[in-house]
């Protein structure tokens, strides 16, 4: 007897500056997975909140008002919003939400709460690598080089701008200024002096309340490398170089009219191997699942880790397959892996303390009348 088809919920959109890019990645995954052994359930997360289940086929359907069935997560399923019974079973989920409350671990936590296996990274690594400052701290803890940096809080800058300017002057110009928890080069600026730094921080603080100021490398090269886990083994892609016409790789160059990319990147073999090793080290150290992409800055013969994309553009499928059929097989393999390696449910202990009617012991409540 033929096995019943598994259902995959593909989540995209969300409350993020990258929500529109997320729609592109989401519909790319939805359309590639259609016709595979999985039945696809496209789930769009509107920026105002909630979830919509639909039968969309094109990115253009999201240019205006979006129609769909309001749903909510429940144990192993989606339910119609406001209903208590399952509407459709969800066997596995795929996160295509870039940035915001999709890539930062929020969606991963909701899926875990609903006991739905995910083919995307989990809560701890998602939350950590959403913050570029925490990212660099984690990398240095693994002996992976990262560009020198310091952070600036919005309140800190408003209260003591001169202190920040003095810190930057001692650090040395030019510097790169970026919001700490955004991606896709949004809000990214190079500052060559105090006035430009002030303008760059003002821009960053319209998007985030924390900014990163880091060393700018003249003549740097932008190199990407992806990692995933399939058949229980970590696999690392070849390196890709993305070209830029200016000082930084911009949003427009990534998604509109860029200078293109070279895959595999033309790098000395030892340097390419070092970048792959760094990527593997990050992936394995945090026990990740799904596919992630590590971005590096190469200066001469040195590689500096820049950031880790928990939900990379197009899910980095193009780094693991050169044709659509191979990328389709890659996406399906990620789902297979998630189902095969779904975490076992552990025992949850109950202390029984609530049924005792009294609190005692070193950790007990200090009774002050009948207040609990």
């Amino acid at each position: 007897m033929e096995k019943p088809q598994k259902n995959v919920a593909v989540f995209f959109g969300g409350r993020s500056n990258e929500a529109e890019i997320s729609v592109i990645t989401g519909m790319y995954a939805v359309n590639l997975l259609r016709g595979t052994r999985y039945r696809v359930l496209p789930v769009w997360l509107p920026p105002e909140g909630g979830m919509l289940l639909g039968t969309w086929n094109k990115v253009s359907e999201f240019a205006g008002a979006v129609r769909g069935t309001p749903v909510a997560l429940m144990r192993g399923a989606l339910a119609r919003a406001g209903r208590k019974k399952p509407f459709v079973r969800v066997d596995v989920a795929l996160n295509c939400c870039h940035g915001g409350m999709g890539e930062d671990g929020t969606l991963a936590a909701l899926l875990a709460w609903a006991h739905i296996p995910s083919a995307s990274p989990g809560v701890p690594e998602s939350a950590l690598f959403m913050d570029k400052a925490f990212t660099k701290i984690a990398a240095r803890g693994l002996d992976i080089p990262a560009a020198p940096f310091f952070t600036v809080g919005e309140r800190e800058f408003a209260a003591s701008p001169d202190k920040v300017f003095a810190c930057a002057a001692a650090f040395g110009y030019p510097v790169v200024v970026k919001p700490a928890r955004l991606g896709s080069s949004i809000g990214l600026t190079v500052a060559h002096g105090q006035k430009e730094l002030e303008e760059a921080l003002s821009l960053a603080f319209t998007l985030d309340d924390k900014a990163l100021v880091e060393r700018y490398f003249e003549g740097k090269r932008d190199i990407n490398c992806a990692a995933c886990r399939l058949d229980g083994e970590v696999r690392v892609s070849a390196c890709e170089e993305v070209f830029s016409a200016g000082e930084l790789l911009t949003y427009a160059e990534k998604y509109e009219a860029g200078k293109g990319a070279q895959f595999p990147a033309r790098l000395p073999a030892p340097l390419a191997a070092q970048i792959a090793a760094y990527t593997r080290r990050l992936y394995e150290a945090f026990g990740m699942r799904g596919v992630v992409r590590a971005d590096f800055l190469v200066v001469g013969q040195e590689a500096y880790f820049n950031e880790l994309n928990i939900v990379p553009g197009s899910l980095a499928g193009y780094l693991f397959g050169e044709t659509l059929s191979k990328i389709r097989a890659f996406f399906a393999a990620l789902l297979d892996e998630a189902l095969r390696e779904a975490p076992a449910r552990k025992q949850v202990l109950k202390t029984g303390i609530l049924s005792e009617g009294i609190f005692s012991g070193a950790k007990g409540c200090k009774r002050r009348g009948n207040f609990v």
Side-chain angles (χ1 to χ4, degrees), residues 21 83 85 116 120 136 139 179 214 227 234 240 247 265 280 314 338 362:
I21 302 303
R83 306 285 181 88
K85 293 183 178 180
I116 296 175
S120 304
K136 291 182 184 292
E214 66 181 25
V234 177
E240 171 196 34
E247 293 176 304
R280 178 182 293 274
S314 302

Side-chain angles (χ1 to χ4, degrees), residues 210-225:
K210 177 181 173 183
L212 205 71
V213 179
E214 66 181 25
R215 176 84 67 229
Y216 175 72
F217 293 112
E218 193 76 39
K220 53 82 182 168
R221 299 170 65 184
D222 292 285
I223 304 294
N224 302 330
C225 184

Side-chain angles (χ1 to χ4, degrees), residues 114-248:
H115 298 285
I116 296 175
S118 175
S120 304
V123 176
E125 61 268 35
S126 298
L128 173 68
F129 288 105
M130 191 68 204
D131 188 302
K132 293 178 172 61
F134 296 164
T135 291
K136 291 182 184 292
I137 293 169
R140 290 177 178 178
L142 294 171
D143 292 326
I144 298 173
F149 76 101
F150 65 92
T151 59
V152 182
E154 185 174 11
R155 290 185 179 180
E156 173 193 357
F157 183 63
S160 305
D162 290 339
K163 182 179 178 181
V164 175
F165 295 146
C167 185
F171 191 75
Y173 290 101
V175 294
V176 178
V177 180
K178 59 181 76 171
R181 290 160 289 215
L182 268 71
S184 292
S185 300
I186 298 172
L188 204 63
T189 314
V190 176
H192 298 85
Q194 179 174 311
K195 181 175 176 54
E196 290 184 6
L197 175 60
E198 183 175 13
E199 294 172 349
L201 287 171
S202 295
L203 171 61
F205 291 140
T206 64
L207 302 167
D208 198 349
D209 59 9
K210 177 181 173 183
L212 205 71
V213 179
E214 66 181 25
R215 176 84 67 229
Y216 175 72
F217 293 112
E218 193 76 39
K220 53 82 182 168
R221 299 170 65 184
D222 292 285
I223 304 294
N224 302 330
C225 184
C228 66
R229 189 184 300 274
L230 294 177
D231 298 322
E233 296 182 2
V234 177
R235 303 185 186 183
V236 179
S237 75
C239 293
E240 171 196 34
E241 180 170 9
V242 184
F243 300 110
S244 173
E247 293 176 304
L248 295 171

